[in-house]
Amino acid sequence: MEEENINKKLSEYNSILKENDEIYHKAAKKIGISDCAFLIFYIMREKKGVVTQSTICDVFCQPKQTVNSALKKLESEGYIKLEAIAGGRSKQINLTKKGKKFAEETIDKVIAGEQKALSGLTIEEQEAFLRLFRKFTKLLKENIEGGL
């Protein structure tokens, strides 16, 4: 009975995750960019400071080749400029004027929607939600990595 209950809750959790992924996929599709390009724009608007290809790969767990292809496309379309970082092979990603305008009209609205959604929870609910999600993620990582 306990295993059945856990499986039911796990199924609901997976359904919620897929629904959330679909929200972002539909947003990317609606604004006419790939999911990876969406993530690139998103991190450019969210992060302060230097953003590199490695940053994007690490934060969003995306393959380097996928991110590289999306970056090349965004650069060729005039949305970003890649600039070499002194003393290394990494390149800093910067939004161009066109890229900033695009992000303001699209990605910033997504972020505002996220902020509004989170604001719909009380401070206590926000803290509990994040604390429990972090705890679950840590336990999931330990159990899957330790079990394989």
Side-chain angles (χ1 to χ4, degrees):
M1 186 66 166
E2 178 63 24
E3 186 176 337
E4 183 179 318
N5 191 27
I6 289 291
N7 286 338
K8 184 177 178 184
K9 288 177 181 171
L10 188 57
S11 178
E12 183 178 1
Y13 165 78
N14 285 320
S15 179
I16 292 167
L17 275 185
K18 287 179 181 113
E19 184 177 358
N20 273 272
D21 285 346
E22 187 63 18
I23 291 167
Y24 292 104
H25 173 71
K26 284 182 179 179
K29 188 174 181 178
K30 186 173 184 175
I31 60 179
I33 58 176
S34 70
D35 290 358
C36 190
F38 178 89
L39 295 176
I40 292 167
F41 273 110
Y42 188 97
I43 199 167
M44 296 297 297
R45 299 307 281 176
E46 181 189 53
K47 290 276 183 200
K48 305 298 180 224
V50 176
V51 176
T52 64
Q53 179 175 339
S54 294
T55 306
I56 295 164
C57 293
D58 293 346
V59 171
F60 289 113
C61 302
Q62 292 290 309
K64 201 169 193 172
Q65 189 171 357
T66 302
V67 173
N68 190 50
S69 295
L71 287 171
K72 285 184 186 286
K73 186 172 189 313
L74 290 173
E75 186 176 35
S76 73
E77 293 172 347
Y79 290 109
I80 65 167
K81 185 174 181 180
L82 300 173
E83 297 176 13
I85 297 174
R89 291 181 17 190
S90 294
K91 290 188 178 177
Q92 180 174 340
I93 305 163
N94 294 304
L95 291 174
T96 61
K97 195 173 193 177
K98 178 181 177 181
K100 286 178 186 172
K101 184 177 186 317
F102 178 80
E104 287 168 0
E105 295 170 351
T106 57
I107 304 303
D108 289 359
K109 290 180 182 179
V110 172
I111 293 171
E114 291 173 320
Q115 292 168 339
K116 191 172 182 179
L118 195 58
S119 295
L121 303 175
T122 66
I123 297 294
E124 294 80 16
E125 289 171 332
Q126 292 171 23
E127 290 169 357
F129 169 72
L130 294 172
R131 184 183 70 254
L132 292 170
F133 198 70
R134 265 192 304 274
K135 181 178 181 178
F136 178 78
T137 301
K138 179 181 179 279
L139 291 167
L140 182 63
K141 185 176 183 177
E142 288 170 4
N143 284 283
I144 290 181
E145 288 179 359
L148 293 179

